[in-house]
């Protein structure tokens, strides 16, 4: 028993297993008891899937991409080449898990004694002191030519880093688009004020104060803002519902989750932009000398 080990379990670990589907291979397949999955992986696997996975027949849990892109359903047969000896082994699909990776699957090979010779070939370990544990394992088992494989460092971290780069890039593009949009709005507001100044000057000479002009301008912009927000929200929800299905046409799948806080944040950004534009319009109106302007006509 090692002091730095929090949890450990004997599993079957397989890499680059061929399937009978479009020459597609699963990069990692782990044979593990369903009760142990949560101790080593943070995957959202529902209770029904776990119950099917615990049955006495060979079962497999696949990434959700296999359902969304390749149209696999629960209960379908899924064939794996486990080794040169065990080819085209049939598994029933117990269910799918939601995650931004599509190269890991879980199987319950331990349920069939036929494959006992290849079932237990690895140990999954969790530890809060990973580097110390790694050195201890190397010292203790290095001479036996055992491979120490850090799943998080080798698989999850590269994926997370890639997703972070994509997220950073998209965020930068969106920020530039918002900045360009604000600049365009300011320019449009300036041009609109210039074109309306003559009309405002005539109304001003008829007795309407600048405060009233500002009031009606705010009221007008508020109506436009509310209509725009409503149309944008409806359009966003419609596009959101269709986007995942649209992306799957190109042979990929992304889980797009609608977060209510994100909607509030978007509303807040729009509100800030609206306040900025209204404030700019108020400044332009207050600085305009309508008396001098009307004398030019």
């Amino acid at each position: 028993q090692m002091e730095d080990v929090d949890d450990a379990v004997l599993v079957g670990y397989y890499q680059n297993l061929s399937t009978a589907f479009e020459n597609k291979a699963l990069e990692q397949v782990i044979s593990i008891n369903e009760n142990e999955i949560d101790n080593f992986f943070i995957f959202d696997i529902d209770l029904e899937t776990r119950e099917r996975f615990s049955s006495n027949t060979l079962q497999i849990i696949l990434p959700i991409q296999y359902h969304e892109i390749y149209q696999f359903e629960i209960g379908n047969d899924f064939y794996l080449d486990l080794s040169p000896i065990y080819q085209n082994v049939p598994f029933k699909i117990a269910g799918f898990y939601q995650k931004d990776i599509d190269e890991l699957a879980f199987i319950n090979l331990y349920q069939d004694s036929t494959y006992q010779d290849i079932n237990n070939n690895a140990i999954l370990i969790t530890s809060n002191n990973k580097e110390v544990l790694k050195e201890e394992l190397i010292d203790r088992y290095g001479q036996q030519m055992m491979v120490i494989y850090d799943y998080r460092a080798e698989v999850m971290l590269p994926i997370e880093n890639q997703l972070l780069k994509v997220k950073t890039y998209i965020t930068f593009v969106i920020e530039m688009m918002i900045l360009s949009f604000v600049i365009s709005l300011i320019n449009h507001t300036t041009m609109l004020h210039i074109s309306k100044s003559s009309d405002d000057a005539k109304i001003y000479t008829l007795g309407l104060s600048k405060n009233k002009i500002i009031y009606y301008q705010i009221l007008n912009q508020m109506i436009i803002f509310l209509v725009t927000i409503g149309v944008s929200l409806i359009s966003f929800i419609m596009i959101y519902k269709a986007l995942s299905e649209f992306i799957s046409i190109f042979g990929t799948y992304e889980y797009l989750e609608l977060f209510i806080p994100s909607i509030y944040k978007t509303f807040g950004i729009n509100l800030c932009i609206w306040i900025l534009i209204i404030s700019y319009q108020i400044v332009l109106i207050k600085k305009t000398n309508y008396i001098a302007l009307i004398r030019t006509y």
Side-chain angles (χ1 to χ4, degrees):
Q1 179 70 28
M2 297 183 179
E3 295 180 357
D4 298 306
V5 174
D6 296 329
D7 202 352
V9 63
L10 196 62
V11 300
Y13 179 74
Y14 318 94
Q15 290 181 294
N16 298 317
L17 295 188
S18 299
T19 72
F21 178 71
E22 294 185 357
N23 295 321
K24 186 173 178 59
L26 281 168
E27 293 188 20
Q28 284 100 22
V29 176
I30 296 178
S31 175
I32 185 173
N33 188 288
E34 75 280 358
N35 295 322
E36 298 286 352
I37 294 177
D38 290 339
N39 295 334
F40 301 92
F41 302 94
I42 307 175
F43 291 161
D44 185 15
I45 302 176
D46 59 61
L47 181 60
E48 290 80 7
T49 297
R50 293 174 184 271
E51 289 176 351
R52 286 188 290 267
F53 189 74
S54 63
S55 67
N56 294 328
T57 58
L58 292 180
Q59 302 279 332
I60 185 170
I61 301 176
L62 292 166
I64 190 64
Q65 286 86 341
Y66 280 82
H67 172 66
E68 298 292 343
I69 300 175
Y70 307 118
Q71 310 304 315
F72 279 102
E73 301 289 344
I74 293 173
N76 287 168
D77 290 326
F78 193 87
Y79 296 89
L80 287 176
D81 294 339
L82 297 176
S83 71
I85 299 175
Y86 302 114
Q87 298 280 310
N88 217 30
V89 179
F91 292 84
K92 289 288 185 182
I93 298 178
F96 307 91
Y97 69 85
Q98 182 68 66
K99 202 70 174 177
D100 293 323
I101 58 174
D102 61 355
E103 57 272 298
L104 173 64
F106 299 105
I107 58 177
N108 61 347
L109 200 63
Y110 59 88
Q111 295 284 17
D112 194 329
S113 59
T114 305
Y115 310 100
Q116 188 173 3
D117 57 324
I118 62 169
N119 183 35
N120 296 324
N121 59 6
I123 301 175
L124 287 182
I125 298 174
T126 58
S127 173
N128 291 323
N129 200 351
K130 184 173 63 175
E131 294 303 322
V132 173
L133 176 62
K134 186 175 181 179
E135 293 298 326
E136 187 176 351
L137 288 171
I138 292 174
D139 292 339
R140 185 174 297 189
Y141 300 108
Q143 293 182 351
Q144 301 178 29
M145 301 299 290
M146 295 184 67
V147 176
I148 300 173
Y149 185 76
D150 190 333
Y151 181 80
R152 175 164 179 78
E154 298 291 337
V155 178
M156 295 303 297
L157 282 181
I159 294 175
E160 291 174 359
N161 292 335
Q162 187 64 32
L163 290 174
L164 180 61
K165 289 180 182 178
V166 173
K167 181 179 179 181
T168 303
Y169 173 75
I170 293 176
T171 301
F172 175 76
V173 171
I174 292 175
E175 289 174 350
M176 292 299 101
M177 291 175 63
I178 292 175
L179 179 60
S180 301
F181 176 67
V182 171
I183 294 173
S184 298
L185 280 179
I186 292 175
N187 180 65
H188 173 74
T189 301
T190 303
M191 300 301 294
L192 184 63
H193 174 74
I194 293 173
S195 65
K196 288 183 59 181
S197 291
S198 59
D199 294 331
D200 290 343
K202 294 173 185 177
I203 296 174
Y204 181 76
T205 56
L206 292 175
L208 193 67
S209 66
K210 281 190 175 182
N211 287 337
K212 280 291 184 180
I213 294 175
I214 291 172
Y215 169 76
Y216 287 121
Q217 187 64 40
I218 292 175
L219 186 62
N220 178 61
Q221 291 298 326
M222 185 177 294
I223 293 173
I224 294 174
F225 171 75
L226 292 176
V227 171
T228 303
I229 285 295
V231 173
S232 299
L233 182 60
I234 293 173
S235 301
F236 172 76
I237 293 175
M238 292 175 63
I239 292 173
Y240 159 77
K241 289 184 176 180
L243 193 57
S244 291
E245 185 175 349
F246 175 74
I247 293 175
S248 66
I249 296 175
F250 301 96
T252 186
Y253 172 78
E254 294 295 336
Y255 177 59
L256 303 176
E257 187 173 359
L258 185 62
F259 292 104
I260 299 301
S262 299
I263 296 178
Y264 290 151
K265 185 177 180 180
T266 302
F267 179 83
I269 292 174
N270 283 309
L271 182 61
C272 290
I273 294 174
W274 179 78
I275 293 173
L276 173 65
I277 298 303
I278 284 295
S279 301
Y280 180 62
Q281 286 182 326
I282 292 173
V283 171
L284 290 176
I285 292 173
K286 286 187 174 182
K287 284 188 174 182
T288 302
N289 189 337
Y290 289 119
I291 301 298
L293 182 62
I294 202 68
R295 288 174 179 172
T296 61
Y297 294 101

